[in-house]
Amino acid sequence: MKKIFFLLITGLTVSASYSQEVSDALRYSQDNLTGTARFRAMSGAFGAVGGDLSSLSVNPAGSAVFNTNQVGISFSNQNIKNNSDYFGTQTSDKENSFILNQAGGVFVFKDRNPNNGWNKIAIGATYENTNNFNNSTFSAGTNPTNSIDGYFLDYANYGNGGAPVPHEYVNLNNNETLADLYRYLGSNFPNGQYPNLSGYSAQQALLGYQGYLINIDDVNNPNSTYFTNNAPNGKDYYQENEVYTRGYNSKVSFNIATSYRDRLYLGANLNVHVTDYRRTSSFYEENKNPLQSYETISNVRFNNELYTYGNGFSFQLGAIGKVTEALRLGIAYESNTWYELYDELSQSLFTTTESTAGSFSNNANPNTVNVYESYTLQTPDKWTFSAAYVFGKSGLLSIDYALKNYGNSKFKPSSDFRGINNEISNNLTSTGELRVGAEYKINKLSLRGGYRFEGSPYKNGTTVGDLNSYSGGLGYNFGGTKLDLAYSYLERKSNQGFFATGLTDGANINSKLNNVTLTLLFEL
């Protein structure tokens, strides 16, 4: 786990330690298909085509294909609908967002000397929203066996390097508040006495105990384990899970490329990445089992708010070669992205205990924002192989195939993240992405279409399933100005547990994304 530090914000002590998950690494390793309307209409199959502002994101040699200076801007409207199936109960939720999708320009410098083979240099700069995180998912249903108490029980019994969290860290002393102990746990572990105890694990145990979801088997035995106090004879827990995400992953690329006699094109990108991600989740559980003479839990509300932000760096190299005037081949390499990230996390737990004697509300809300020291995430590199056939001025057909091994994602320093890095290696795998695009020109009108497929990044193929996408669009050349419009449809299934431990049951989610992109281009 990461080391922690103190910070004071709006009167709250900020501390604690957060437990990364495989999905956190995957989030920043995947790129959505974004870019200009022409690029999106052809499903991004531009690795051997070039000549488009967004083609630089696939193969940086593509800027040398330009014959004139060009600047452009693109806007998108994205609508995503998530259909959920949780133990047979069907629910749905959707989110609509309007974003600045892409902007940039390429400037071409030509050498008119016919004896000089290297006759062109292109310099470009582009901005792309590589991933729009705006999303909303709602799942609800009746779980026949598992309750949220299992989440807190796992952290309490195994949070101290496989041993129970010491009882002294879940009991409040005289005049000590929940907020005091929650902050102390976050800022003081690991330490010499308990080197295997993470602050985050201890905090979860504290919340579960103070919320009456778990109890101690024998308070006088320091090695005694915890047990669940959530309706011992219960079953059929009604559960709801709401997840709202906001934010973006963006990339600013600085490009340079050159061509040799308009037959060989070479290019390079230096990329600066910025991420801003907010995730708000609210889990609700209701136990409708018969009341007992002793207190049991009747309902639970567990809230988590995560804010992750930071920046990163990567580079790209690429080449395009004209085998003939019609046939082009391309190859491109995108390096690992090295992110420096920061996390902030706040939590609250509210429960109601009931018995035949009455009901009581329990507030386990520390009102604390946990702020973590920075850490590094290394996302996997990627190879792209491309081919295109250009039918003179009538149109083209292109195909790209990209390879990326998501299992190579790593949190660093490795000594602090050995456990999660092993999980990433064991759960994620290498996958291929196929993109096919076509364009047909009728005078100044261009008609376009494309298809995209990406295999599941998970070895089990179900946690996040295969991606299928279809696209189409058109463009019109007014002379010095071009206007392009694209529509794309994407579908992907997933099944991720509500929590990483304890309550790992999750809903089957079928996500359908519709995107409309408009691009305005100017030739200078």
Side-chain angles (χ1 to χ4, degrees), residues 68-341:
T68 60
N69 303 333
Q70 189 174 110
V71 296
I73 189 169
S74 303
F75 296 94
S76 287
N77 179 264
Q78 175 178 296
N79 180 278
I80 184 168
K81 183 177 182 180
N82 296 299
N83 297 316
S84 174
D85 182 344
Y86 187 58
F87 288 101
T89 300
Q90 312 287 330
T91 56
S92 66
D93 206 352
K94 59 184 179 181
E95 183 70 30
N96 190 77
S97 55
F98 184 79
I99 60 174
L100 171 63
N101 192 55
Q102 178 274 341
V106 168
F107 299 91
V108 181
F109 304 90
K110 295 182 179 180
D111 187 342
R112 304 298 181 180
N113 185 351
N115 297 321
N116 191 349
W118 298 98
N119 57 356
K120 186 194 300 183
I121 292 178
I123 297 175
T126 59
Y127 163 86
E128 292 202 5
N129 186 322
T130 57
N131 213 335
N132 176 25
F133 294 133
N134 293 354
N135 202 354
S136 179
T137 305
F138 175 76
S139 303
T142 300
N143 191 316
T145 54
N146 297 317
S147 164
I148 181 63
D149 57 14
Y151 167 85
F152 297 98
L153 188 67
D154 272 13
Y155 276 109
N157 279 336
Y158 307 110
N160 185 15
V165 172
H167 304 161
E168 61 188 289
Y169 297 127
V170 299
N171 280 297
L172 301 179
N173 298 324
N174 293 335
N175 300 320
E176 184 179 39
T177 67
L178 173 72
D180 292 335
L181 185 51
Y182 185 88
R183 295 165 186 165
Y184 172 81
L185 294 176
S187 61
N188 287 278
F189 294 96
N191 63 17
Q193 184 178 4
Y194 299 109
N196 296 318
L197 177 60
S198 75
Y200 182 80
S201 296
Q203 286 178 328
Q204 306 317 292
L206 171 67
L207 292 177
Y209 183 77
Q210 293 297 325
Y212 294 92
L213 282 167
I214 58 176
N215 209 338
I216 301 172
D217 188 43
D218 183 359
V219 294
N220 296 317
N221 180 358
N223 297 317
S224 177
T225 59
Y226 297 79
F227 68 94
T228 60
N229 199 35
N230 189 331
N233 299 318
K235 61 179 181 178
D236 295 338
Y237 304 98
Y238 174 76
Q239 298 169 341
E240 296 178 353
N241 194 50
E242 303 173 72
V243 180
Y244 301 96
T245 59
R246 296 291 183 272
Y248 61 89
N249 228 2
S250 66
K251 179 173 71 174
V252 176
S253 299
F254 302 95
N255 168 269
I256 185 169
T258 185
S259 71
Y260 183 78
R261 299 193 183 280
D262 288 325
R263 304 291 297 186
L264 175 64
Y265 307 88
L266 303 174
N269 286 348
L270 293 180
N271 306 314
V272 177
H273 304 257
V274 177
T275 190
D276 190 281
Y277 174 78
R278 298 176 186 269
R279 184 182 189 270
T280 300
S281 65
S282 182
F283 177 87
Y284 174 78
E285 178 177 292
E286 184 175 348
N287 181 358
K288 296 183 178 180
N289 293 282
L291 295 178
Q292 307 292 324
S293 59
Y294 52 89
E295 291 183 3
T296 56
I297 297 293
S298 61
N299 61 70
V300 179
R301 174 72 69 180
F302 183 37
N303 302 313
N304 286 266
E305 294 188 16
L306 171 66
Y307 177 36
T308 300
Y309 55 95
N311 52 70
F313 168 81
S314 68
F315 67 88
Q316 292 170 269
L317 302 172
I320 299 175
K322 284 186 178 180
V323 181
T324 67
E325 283 300 319
L327 179 62
R328 301 179 184 180
L329 300 178
I331 184 172
Y333 172 75
E334 183 174 355
S335 75
N336 311 92
T337 300
W338 294 273
Y339 283 104
E340 183 179 21
L341 298 177

Side-chain angles (χ1 to χ4, degrees), residues 453-503:
F453 171 85
E454 183 181 8
S456 169
Y458 278 83
K459 291 180 179 179
N460 62 22
T462 57
T463 303
V464 174
D466 296 339
L467 178 151
N468 281 280
S469 176
Y470 305 88
S471 58
L474 51 86
Y476 194 85
N477 189 344
F478 293 93
T481 304
K482 297 178 181 178
L483 187 65
D484 297 318
L485 181 68
Y487 166 78
S488 62
Y489 170 82
L490 179 152
E491 185 169 356
R492 189 166 217 168
K493 296 180 180 180
S494 61
N495 185 313
Q496 297 193 41
F498 293 160
F499 300 95
T501 186
L503 179 59

Side-chain angles (χ1 to χ4, degrees), residues 304-376:
N304 286 266
E305 294 188 16
L306 171 66
Y307 177 36
T308 300
Y309 55 95
N311 52 70
F313 168 81
S314 68
F315 67 88
Q316 292 170 269
L317 302 172
I320 299 175
K322 284 186 178 180
V323 181
T324 67
E325 283 300 319
L327 179 62
R328 301 179 184 180
L329 300 178
I331 184 172
Y333 172 75
E334 183 174 355
S335 75
N336 311 92
T337 300
W338 294 273
Y339 283 104
E340 183 179 21
L341 298 177
Y342 299 81
D343 289 337
E344 297 180 10
L345 176 71
S346 61
Q347 300 180 292
S348 59
L349 176 68
F350 305 92
T351 65
T352 301
T353 52
E354 290 192 35
S355 70
T356 54
S359 64
F360 303 90
S361 296
N362 311 293
N363 182 343
N365 182 9
N367 288 312
T368 296
V369 178
N370 300 310
V371 178
Y372 307 89
E373 285 186 343
S374 66
Y375 59 97
T376 299

